Amino acid sequence: MRGVVMHSPGDVQVEDRPDPEIIEPTDAVIKISATCICGSDLWPFRGVEPVDHLAMGHEYVGVVERIGDAVRNVKVGDFVVGSFVTSDNTCEICRAGYQSQCVHAAFVSVESGTQAERARIANADGTLVATPGRPDADLIPSLLAASDVLGTGWFAAVAAEAGPGKTVAVVGDGAVGLMGVLAAEQLGAERIIAMSRHADRQALAREYGATDIVEERGDEGVAKIKELTNGLGAHSVIEAVGTQESMMQAIRATRPGGHIGFVGVSHGVELPGQELFFSGVHLHGGPAPVRRFLPDLVQLIWDRKIDPGKVFDLTLPIERAAEGYRAMDERRAVKVLLTV
């Protein structure tokens, strides 16, 4: 089969890879219908994380082709959406709603790499969610978004306790930040402040429910949030970047007693203990337990109540994946969908 392999920073190639096989009786092999490039894929692309001939991809939707003898919840022919972390969905941690921390958790990017024609998904019963039927083609981008960025943005909003009467600030205007705006609106937030300097992303943020746009960053951005909230700061802040600057901007923009949902993959982030102590804010985040939200998100998409697929602003065949990586790296695209 054909699949994307990152040989070294900046060097993305599409090449022949072995077809996946059933290894454990709890496995499924799916034929990928669509996959995409994640913002987190840019870390190794830019040389921030080590990479050496790595099979890429962790977001996926597709049709089940084969299942192991122990698989019961999905069947051959089902169209499925899966989380970027596999889980059994039965352990104590899963039952508490933290499937990304399952005792049997594994990152799909490590196990399979879904920027490919097919992928093996471990713990299929606890990882995959079947759609009510075969989706119309125009729903596939939105279902693909549910595999990671929508579920991650949703978890960020939940962790930040976004809801009625709350002012929510979103740090980061990439795909996850935009999905955080969508989630905050769906959860009933009264006011949503998107922090963005890019006109196209600002427009999409407003479409998803943003009521205000703040272009300033760092201390200036914090000052603007305070200005918009009577000097108090936001009740809820979503941190969707993962840098020192974005984390401190989030902490300082949150009012005492407020909540931060942080889902940006942290790189070089160090928290000043004394400032955090006196801030009086709640911090909650990490790898999103997408599987917790998948059934509800799939239904919202199926019923056409939300349209997260608009976050994909460039679609390319998988053979042109390298072009997609460059487009996202150069911020010419928010998120790239790869057709298979």
Side-chain angles (χ1 to χ4, degrees):
M1 69 173 184
R2 301 290 283 171
V4 177
V5 176
M6 190 178 296
H7 286 236
S8 61
D11 184 7
V12 172
Q13 300 185 29
V14 182
E15 56 194 53
D16 290 330
R17 287 171 43 194
D19 284 321
E21 300 291 341
I22 299 291
I23 297 174
E24 300 292 340
T26 50
D27 291 347
V29 171
I30 64 173
K31 186 178 188 303
I32 303 293
S33 298
T35 182
C36 55
I37 300 170
C38 183
S40 64
D41 294 334
L42 297 181
W43 294 108
F45 185 80
R46 293 167 174 163
V48 178
E49 294 177 356
V51 62
D52 182 9
H53 293 79
L54 179 65
M56 299 300 295
H58 56 264
E59 297 159 281
Y60 57 99
V61 294
V63 178
V64 177
E65 280 195 334
R66 284 174 284 156
I67 57 174
D69 293 340
V71 176
R72 299 289 181 267
N73 295 342
V74 295
K75 62 184 185 298
V76 172
D78 280 349
F79 191 94
V80 294
V81 185
S83 168
F84 66 92
V85 180
T86 63
S87 59
D88 59 30
N89 207 32
T90 59
C91 76
E92 288 187 42
I93 305 301
C94 286
R95 294 199 307 272
Y98 289 85
Q99 291 90 335
S100 60
Q101 309 288 345
C102 173
V103 297
H104 296 120
F107 283 97
V108 172
S109 57
V110 175
E111 295 279 297
S112 297
T114 60
Q115 290 170 15
E117 293 178 316
R118 288 174 175 80
R120 178 181 73 90
I121 305 300
N123 279 306
D125 276 344
T127 304
L128 301 175
V129 173
T131 58
R134 195 62 66 94
D136 294 336
D138 67 318
L139 284 183
I140 288 178
S142 287
L143 292 168
L144 177 60
S147 182
D148 183 354
V149 289
L150 174 60
T152 295
W154 202 278
F155 171 59
V158 169
E161 298 206 353
K166 300 287 186 69
T167 293
V168 181
V170 181
V171 180
D173 65 354
V176 171
L178 291 167
M179 294 298 95
V181 171
L182 181 156
E185 193 276 335
Q186 287 289 309
L187 292 169
E190 181 175 300
R191 190 177 193 184
I192 303 169
I193 305 168
M195 307 191 83
S196 172
R197 291 180 169 179
H198 302 88
D200 55 341
R201 301 177 188 221
Q202 292 173 3
L204 189 52
R206 286 196 182 278
E207 187 172 343
Y208 280 143
T211 56
D212 301 87
I213 302 293
V214 168
E215 295 193 355
E216 294 83 354
R217 292 182 180 175
D219 291 341
E220 291 182 356
V222 171
K224 189 66 176 179
I225 296 293
K226 294 286 184 72
E227 179 185 323
L228 292 171
T229 55
N230 298 317
L232 300 176
H235 301 92
S236 305
V237 176
I238 292 171
E239 192 285 307
V241 183
T243 64
Q244 183 73 29
E245 180 185 37
S246 63
M247 178 60 85
M248 296 315 301
Q249 184 172 306
I251 291 172
R252 292 166 180 167
T254 307
R255 68 179 58 196
H259 294 76
I260 300 167
F262 67 99
V263 292
V265 181
S266 295
H267 286 78
V269 175
E270 296 182 358
L271 299 179
Q274 193 167 54
E275 180 174 354
L276 182 61
F277 180 80
F278 284 104
S279 70
V281 303
H282 302 76
L283 276 173
H284 182 33
V290 169
R291 181 60 179 79
R292 185 207 304 183
F293 307 108
L294 264 184
D296 289 339
L297 296 180
V298 166
Q299 195 62 54
L300 284 170
I301 292 165
W302 196 263
D303 294 339
R304 299 182 181 273
K305 293 181 178 178
I306 58 174
D307 188 7
K310 289 181 180 179
V311 77
F312 295 105
D313 55 350
L314 178 61
T315 298
L316 296 170
I318 195 169
E319 293 291 339
R320 293 169 61 188
E323 182 181 335
Y325 273 82
R326 289 193 296 271
M328 285 182 61
D329 179 48
E330 296 164 6
R331 297 185 72 86
R332 291 184 285 108
V334 177
K335 193 165 180 67
V336 177
L337 185 148
L338 299 175
T339 57
V340 181

